[in-house]
């Protein structure tokens, strides 16, 4: 009886083991079939399909006629090596469907070489034909090699480039700053930009690098829009934790400097919405808001672009904040 019981248990275990193996194998085969069958599944599985992120942001002193103002933020195109034409086309389609009031571009239009900007500018020109939209842009670190060429190409198709200057949309100030790595991002250059804005005027700030939020905490910034980080670009599967952040934190500095992480100062601000404390003139603590867009393109690391870090379009609706 004891031997028979052991035999029955062994057979039962073999059957359960076989079922488990077959189940796992079936899942692997199904996933493989889906990946081969349609590229859409590849994008979903690898986390590289476009995501539309929607935010409602409350702004103090926002005029009543700007309640519901819709803004789209696009960032980090890295044209032409870092983004596909199909992704650009999908992005433009989403923008047309959303019918925004304002479109804000926050830098890195090319990968150092400025010559592709002319083709990209022709593509982005269609943004200016969406209803009564106004399109503004700031400059990123990858655009610094020839700011004049980048700015000229964009402005030539109706996109206003802001370099340490302010424009107004009704009672809302739109501030575009020089990239943090440029020689024009200094107190001598930035302070006068903010000093010309009434303290009671709400303002949105375009500043490519989110690390600039630390310096900008000296000023009222109702919403800072940044890019630069690509959200980490390569994340651990099904998390928001960037693989490169781990490299940066565990590797010695003499080794880590060879990784792209050297371009990111505060990894906590690598994507999403964040509150940045600031002191007011009377000593009170208030908060600036920072939003970091994951961008559309990628800065390739060998053959790898994005992994489990979806390219992003941000749709922002402004609402008045109750005091």
């Amino acid at each position: 009886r004891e031997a028979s019981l052991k035999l029955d248990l062994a057979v039962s275990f073999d059957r359960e083991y076989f079922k488990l193996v077959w189940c796992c194998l079936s899942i692997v085969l199904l996933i493989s079939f889906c990946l081969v069958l349609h590229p859409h599944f590849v994008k979903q599985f690898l986390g590289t399909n476009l995501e539309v992120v929607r935010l409602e942001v409350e702004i103090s002193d926002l005029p009543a006629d700007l309640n519901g103002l819709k803004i789209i933020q696009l960032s980090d195109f890295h044209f032409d090596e870092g983004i596909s034409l199909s992704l650009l086309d999908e992005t433009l389609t989403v923008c047309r469907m959303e019918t925004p009031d304002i479109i804000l571009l926050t830098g890195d239009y090319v990968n150092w070489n400025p010559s592709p900007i002319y083709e990209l500018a022709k593509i982005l020109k269609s943004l200016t034909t969406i209803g009564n939209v106004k399109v503004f842009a700031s400059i990123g670190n990858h655009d610094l090699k020839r700011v004049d060429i980048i700015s000229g190409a964009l402005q030539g198709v109706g996109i206003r480039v802001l370099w340490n200057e302010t424009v107004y949309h009704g009672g809302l100030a739109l501030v575009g700053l020089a990239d943090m790595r440029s020689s024009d991002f200094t107190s001598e250059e930035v302070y006068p930009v903010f000093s010309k804005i009434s303290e009671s005027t709400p303002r949105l700030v375009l500043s490519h690098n989110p690390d600039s939020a630390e310096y900008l905490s000296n000023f009222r910034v109702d919403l800072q829009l940044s890019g630069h980080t690509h959200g980490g670009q390569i994340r651990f599967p099904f998390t928001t934790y960037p693989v490169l952040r781990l490299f940066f934190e565990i590797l010695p500095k003499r080794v880590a400097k060879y990784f792209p992480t050297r371009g990111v100062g505060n990894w906590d601000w690598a994507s999403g919405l964040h509150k940045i404390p600031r002191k007011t003139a009377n000593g009170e603590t208030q908060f600036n808001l920072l939003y970091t867009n994951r961008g559309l393109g990628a800065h390739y690391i060998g053959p790898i672009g994005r992994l489990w870090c979806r390219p992003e379009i941000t749709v922002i609706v402004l609402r008045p904040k109750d005091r």
Side-chain angles (χ1 to χ4, degrees):
R1 286 183 181 180
E2 189 173 333
S4 176
L5 180 61
K6 288 181 179 179
L7 180 60
D8 289 342
L9 288 173
V11 170
S12 176
F13 175 79
D14 286 343
R15 285 175 179 169
E16 294 302 316
Y17 179 75
F18 176 78
K19 288 180 182 178
L20 178 62
V21 171
W22 176 247
C23 182
C24 292
L25 183 60
S26 299
I27 292 172
V28 171
L29 289 173
L30 179 61
I31 292 174
S32 301
F33 177 74
C34 290
L35 294 178
V36 172
L37 183 66
H38 201 293
H40 175 71
F41 291 107
V42 177
K43 290 182 178 180
Q44 285 198 319
F45 182 72
L46 297 180
T48 58
N49 52 319
L50 183 64
E51 180 179 11
V52 180
V53 176
R54 300 183 184 277
L55 298 175
E56 277 205 2
V57 178
E58 293 184 340
I59 303 289
S60 295
D61 307 309
L62 187 72
D65 62 332
L66 296 183
N67 183 12
L69 187 77
K70 183 186 283 190
I71 297 169
I72 284 182
Q73 181 194 6
L74 306 176
S75 196
D76 296 82
F77 296 84
H78 292 279
F79 190 82
D80 56 350
E81 303 120 341
I83 187 171
S84 67
L85 290 176
S86 62
L87 178 57
L88 266 179
D89 185 60
E90 186 179 359
T91 299
L92 297 177
T93 299
V94 171
C95 289
R96 284 190 289 268
M97 292 175 61
E98 290 292 334
T99 60
D101 301 295
I102 301 173
I103 296 177
L104 301 175
L105 315 178
T106 47
D108 276 5
Y109 305 98
V110 297
N111 272 329
W112 302 120
N113 176 18
S115 58
I117 189 61
Y118 296 107
E119 185 179 352
L120 177 63
K122 290 179 183 177
I123 295 170
L124 296 181
K125 183 179 180 178
S126 66
L127 294 175
T128 66
T129 65
I130 302 172
N132 297 316
V133 73
K134 295 180 180 178
V135 187
F136 301 97
S138 62
I139 295 295
N141 59 297
H142 277 261
D143 310 316
L144 292 178
K145 191 173 182 179
R146 290 299 301 270
V147 174
D148 57 336
I149 291 178
I150 303 297
S151 298
L154 293 175
Q155 298 198 139
V157 297
I159 297 172
R160 174 77 179 274
V161 177
L162 304 176
W163 181 270
N164 287 343
E165 59 183 310
T166 304
V167 295
Y168 289 86
H169 183 85
L172 177 68
L174 301 173
V175 182
L177 298 179
D179 181 70
M180 189 178 176
R181 294 186 182 182
S182 80
S183 58
D184 287 340
F185 190 89
T186 62
S187 296
E188 291 76 13
E189 298 289 341
V190 174
Y191 180 80
V193 177
F194 285 94
S195 66
K196 295 174 184 176
I197 306 172
S198 169
E199 188 59 30
S200 62
T201 300
R203 73 285 310 265
L204 269 56
V205 177
L206 283 65
S207 184
H208 176 68
N209 192 327
D211 290 335
S212 62
E214 184 174 357
Y215 170 73
L216 295 177
S217 64
N218 294 301
F219 310 100
R220 173 182 173 176
V221 176
D222 294 283
L223 179 61
Q224 174 181 336
L225 297 177
S226 298
H228 182 63
T229 64
H230 305 175
Q233 189 168 297
I234 301 173
R235 293 175 169 179
F236 288 101
F238 316 115
T239 74
T240 60
Y241 195 91
V243 172
L244 293 177
R245 177 176 185 172
L246 183 64
F247 275 112
F248 184 72
E249 292 179 343
I250 67 173
L251 291 177
K253 288 185 178 180
R254 65 180 183 276
V255 177
K257 68 180 182 180
Y258 294 106
F259 287 82
T261 50
R262 64 184 182 275
V264 179
N266 191 330
W267 276 103
D268 291 334
W269 298 344
S271 64
L273 189 64
H274 307 276
K275 285 186 174 181
I276 314 296
R278 66 178 173 91
K279 290 288 186 181
T280 62
N282 58 13
E284 294 180 356
T285 299
Q286 294 187 2
F287 293 92
N288 292 343
L289 286 180
L290 162 68
Y291 187 81
T292 307
N293 177 296
R294 296 191 301 270
L296 292 166
H299 186 60
Y300 273 68
I301 304 166
I304 301 174
R306 291 180 179 270
L307 282 176
W308 298 290
C309 185
R310 297 169 66 183
E312 174 183 347
I313 297 174
T314 314
V315 179
I316 303 164
V317 175
L318 300 188
R319 300 294 185 191
K321 185 176 183 178
D322 295 331
R323 288 190 174 276

